[in-house]
Amino acid sequence: MRVVWMLVAFVGGGLLGLFLVLPRTRMLRPRRVLACDLCQRRHRRLLAAMVVLALLSVAGLGLRVSQRARELPACAADTSIAEGRRVIDPRAPSRPPPWSTVRSVMTAPVSGLALGFAEARGQGLCSVGDPPITLAFVPQAGEHMGSMVGEVFLASPVPRINPVRARDLAEHESRHVDQWAVCTIVGGISLLPVLYLVDDTLYPGSENHFEQAAGLFDGAYPAPPDPPRGPQGWAIALWIGVVLLLTRRRIRWAVRTLGRRTAVTDPARCGVHTTGWR
Ligand SMILES: [Zn+2]
Ligand SMILES: [Zn+2]
């Protein structure tokens, strides 16, 4: 049973999930914590969240595997995509390098979810680049080229760019796949969207660290503004607020404990979950 939970934790929350749920780390905590009903409730909620994330991952993996079974046409030209013609890639498929395989496996769940979303909108799929990324067309507003979700590039219908720009863009998006893979290993499918959101509010547009790491020029981003706009004050205030909200009980516990040697705790609760500031 413990192995099953570890598997659920890793699939749902990556190494971070494993660390949070791992029985050994629970044993490190004092027995009082295990006796606290609120701590136990929190742990049950954590497990429930892991199960939901793990189920999402498995569903995405299933979608990705079922799509892999059907061979995708290569995205050779806009017309072939538009006319739904199948274009055979003339090059013999070479053995993919190990990292390419690892990142394919690690990003498969989120890629599958993106494919499910793209297929629900009834748009075509094709394969481009080396290592390959899957191109899916979804109606999108604005001039934005598209977004990388796992190995799937959700693009606006039939983007018209010249082959050189297309190759640069494919390299830029391929680096985003690396970011997805690393984040999924560390914290499951939800880590990259969260980190990207936090980074993008603090450092918008060309100052975003994920975009800088993927290459601003290749991704058709303008040079970062000088002087820099980030970090933005409102975003700092927002995220400090979120951290304070999440750690409020620990702050209360610290305030109560630091001043005195013996802190009074509720007999049925741990120190962190004992109410009151004094
Ligand atoms: Zn507690
Ligand atoms: Zn990008």
Side-chain angles (χ1 to χ4, degrees):
M1 200 56 207
R2 193 168 287 188
V3 178
V4 175
W5 275 118
M6 282 171 71
L7 203 65
V8 167
F10 182 70
V11 173
L15 294 175
L16 268 173
L18 209 52
F19 178 77
L20 285 173
V21 173
L22 211 63
R24 201 167 57 82
T25 58
R26 257 195 303 165
M27 255 152 51
L28 290 176
R29 293 182 210 160
R31 194 160 299 161
R32 202 146 37 91
V33 171
L34 293 179
C36 168
D37 54 342
L38 287 181
C39 279
Q40 286 181 343
R41 194 167 76 188
R42 204 183 63 149
H43 193 72
R44 278 199 299 274
R45 279 190 193 153
L46 184 73
L47 291 182
M50 292 296 167
V51 168
V52 170
L53 285 171
L55 285 177
L56 257 178
S57 298
V58 170
L61 183 70
L63 284 167
R64 183 59 162 166
V65 169
S66 71
Q67 173 262 307
R68 273 281 156 107
R70 292 176 287 143
E71 207 181 324
L72 286 182
C75 314
D78 289 350
T79 48
S80 68
I81 298 159
E83 293 167 13
R85 241 190 301 145
R86 202 180 136 97
V87 181
I88 304 298
D89 197 342
R91 282 169 303 150
S94 54
R95 245 180 89 89
W99 172 244
S100 168
T101 312
V102 169
R103 73 174 206 170
S104 282
V105 172
M106 289 316 297
T107 55
V110 78
S111 302
L113 293 177
L115 288 173
F117 172 75
E119 296 225 333
R121 303 290 205 90
Q123 303 292 328
L125 301 170
C126 62
S127 183
V128 67
D130 186 28
I133 57 177
T134 302
L135 203 55
F137 299 112
V138 287
Q140 261 185 345
E143 290 294 294
H144 191 57
M145 289 297 288
S147 320
M148 204 69 205
V149 182
E151 277 188 313
V152 179
F153 187 60
L154 295 172
S156 306
V158 196
R160 296 201 176 273
I161 44 174
N162 69 57
V164 178
R165 285 289 309 117
R167 199 186 55 226
D168 288 348
L169 188 67
E171 270 174 27
H172 173 92
E173 302 306 341
S174 181
R175 289 182 203 118
H176 281 316
V177 182
D178 291 339
Q179 294 168 355
W180 269 105
V182 170
C183 285
T184 307
I185 292 171
V186 174
I189 57 171
S190 53
L191 183 63
L192 185 126
V194 171
L195 290 183
Y196 193 97
L197 177 75
V198 172
D199 194 41
D200 208 53
T201 51
L202 288 166
Y203 300 93
S206 298
E207 290 178 62
N208 182 301
H209 293 92
F210 289 91
E211 296 303 342
Q212 288 187 346
L216 290 179
F217 179 77
D218 290 344
Y221 278 86
D226 185 37
R229 278 193 292 159
Q232 306 207 97
W234 68 266
I236 296 175
L238 172 72
W239 296 118
I240 288 179
V242 169
V243 169
L244 286 179
L245 195 69
L246 290 175
T247 58
R248 63 191 186 281
R249 293 196 189 89
R250 263 166 217 286
I251 294 170
R252 182 181 64 190
W253 170 79
V255 167
R256 204 192 304 131
T257 321
L258 285 177
R260 278 170 294 160
R261 280 171 195 274
T262 51
V264 186
T265 54
D266 197 317
R269 301 267 167 88
C270 67
V272 173
H273 283 123
T274 299
T275 51
W277 287 81
R278 296 193 305 135

